[in-house]
Amino acid sequence: MQHKLSFSSDDLKLSAVLHVPDRPRAGERLPAFIVLHGFVGSKDESHAEIQARMLEEMGYVALRFDFRCCGESEGERGQVRCFDQVTDTKNALTFLAAREEVDPARIGVIGHSFGAAVAVYTTGVDSRVACVISSCGWGDGERKFRGQHPTPEAWARFTGLLEQGRKQKAETGKSMWISRFDAVPIPEHLRKNLSPKAIMEIPVETAWSMYNFRADDVVADIAPRPILFLHTANDTITPTEQSIRMFEKAGQPAELVLITGTSHFPLAEKDAPRTRAIIKGWLEKFFPTPLSAVA
């Protein structure tokens, strides 16, 4: 069952969809997940929606929502800031914990790409989160960008845009807007995996926010809560080393799974069965649901 709803974060109305398994016994409270979408993406027609549907089928309540300034949520479109998204996630947790279907002590966070970085950071600073699944995430914004702009020429072009945007903002008070692909390059053949509701241009301040965001700094504080780092090997969008480094910094219980044969979108149609099996096995060990899984 899906319910379209909204909740408040810093006086902004955020659009959400709640997935509830149709098999709970009367009065039974279920474990749940908050599902975080990727870079200036959407809760709809995206990896976030795929994750939410998968979790519902496995017997979990799942709340997917649009971060402020994205999708159907309020806020100036595209003006994304990492710590605003952490705040949105905390407020989503407060909202979800009050739902009658949900066990408030058993709420995890799952995110993909940018959403994974936010998921790890939020879990590191909010003890209410019971577990976290990071899919193709990142822990150090500057190092991530260096991996995404690997040649001296590419790095000079990217940092030049950052400085140009900083100068324009200081002199005029207005943001300089750039293509999302100038910040985060995505090979043409993988762009079909983006939500049609994703934003195609961002202000330079969004890239600066990402540059200075470090989930690495708090990942060790997650233990002893369980964490799964899931990443595609040789990822051509978010460097695979980002998850490896977070895993090295994390305390136990932490697991790292690298998936070969695909790039950045491990739940895309061809690879979904294998990825679902990996996630299902991890959940059964570290965060089981009282409902028997269908998937």
Side-chain angles (χ1 to χ4, degrees), residues 18 29-36 55 60-65 89-110 119 122-124 126-133 222 225-226 282-283 286-288:
L18 185 71
R29 290 178 174 262
L30 297 175
F33 274 93
I34 299 164
V35 183
L36 307 183
L55 289 164
Y60 298 84
V61 175
L63 179 74
R64 57 182 164 101
F65 71 94
T89 307
K90 289 182 174 183
N91 287 323
L93 179 57
T94 299
F95 172 78
L96 188 58
R99 297 286 303 190
E100 64 180 5
E101 309 96 333
V102 174
D103 180 348
R106 302 194 68 221
I107 300 176
V109 181
I110 182 173
T122 304
T123 307
D126 194 326
S127 62
R128 296 177 298 164
V129 181
C131 73
V132 59
I133 299 175
I222 294 173
R225 293 166 291 165
W282 185 85
L283 288 169
F286 292 104
F287 199 65

Side-chain angles (χ1 to χ4, degrees), residues 5-16 18 33-36 63-68 73-74 81-99 102 104 107-109 118-119 121-123 125-129:
L5 39 77
S6 64
F7 64 93
S8 179
S9 184
D10 287 346
D11 296 322
L12 295 170
K13 186 168 75 172
L14 304 189
S15 177
L18 185 71
F33 274 93
I34 299 164
V35 183
L36 307 183
L63 179 74
R64 57 182 164 101
F65 71 94
D66 291 322
F67 285 117
R68 69 180 74 185
S73 289
E74 293 182 343
R81 305 291 186 272
C82 296
F83 285 106
D84 288 343
Q85 296 198 339
V86 171
T87 297
D88 291 346
T89 307
K90 289 182 174 183
N91 287 323
L93 179 57
T94 299
F95 172 78
L96 188 58
R99 297 286 303 190
V102 174
I107 300 176
V109 181
V118 175
Y121 195 98
T122 304
T123 307
V125 299
D126 194 326
S127 62
R128 296 177 298 164
V129 181

Side-chain angles (χ1 to χ4, degrees), residues 121-229:
Y121 195 98
T122 304
T123 307
V125 299
D126 194 326
S127 62
R128 296 177 298 164
V129 181
C131 73
V132 59
I133 299 175
S134 168
S135 168
C136 301
W138 48 274
D140 183 305
E142 179 183 356
R143 201 175 73 243
K144 171 191 78 78
F145 277 135
R146 286 186 179 274
Q148 292 170 324
H149 305 272
T151 67
E153 296 78 14
W155 185 245
R157 180 177 182 277
F158 173 66
T159 55
L161 287 173
L162 293 186
E163 288 304 322
Q164 185 181 348
R166 190 204 296 271
K167 182 178 179 182
Q168 176 173 310
K169 184 72 170 181
E171 292 178 350
T172 70
K174 296 181 179 180
S175 297
M176 185 179 90
W177 291 73
I178 60 176
S179 166
R180 61 174 291 146
F181 302 121
D182 285 334
V184 179
I186 298 181
E188 288 280 355
H189 70 282
L190 292 177
R191 295 182 186 182
K192 66 180 183 296
N193 292 295
L194 297 175
S195 168
K197 297 182 179 180
I199 295 169
M200 291 296 119
E201 289 191 334
I202 62 166
V204 167
E205 292 81 15
T206 291
W208 273 116
S209 173
M210 298 164 70
Y211 189 100
N212 294 315
F213 192 64
R214 289 176 52 89
D216 273 4
D217 290 345
V218 299
V219 67
D221 297 325
I222 294 173
R225 293 166 291 165
I227 180 168
L228 171 63
F229 297 101

Side-chain angles (χ1 to χ4, degrees), residues 1 20-26 28 30 55-60 289 291-295:
M1 295 181 286
V20 181
D22 59 6
R23 310 183 302 282
R25 294 182 287 272
E28 185 173 42
L30 297 175
L55 289 164
E56 178 189 0
E57 291 171 3
M58 291 180 179
Y60 298 84
T289 174
L291 301 183
S292 57
V294 172

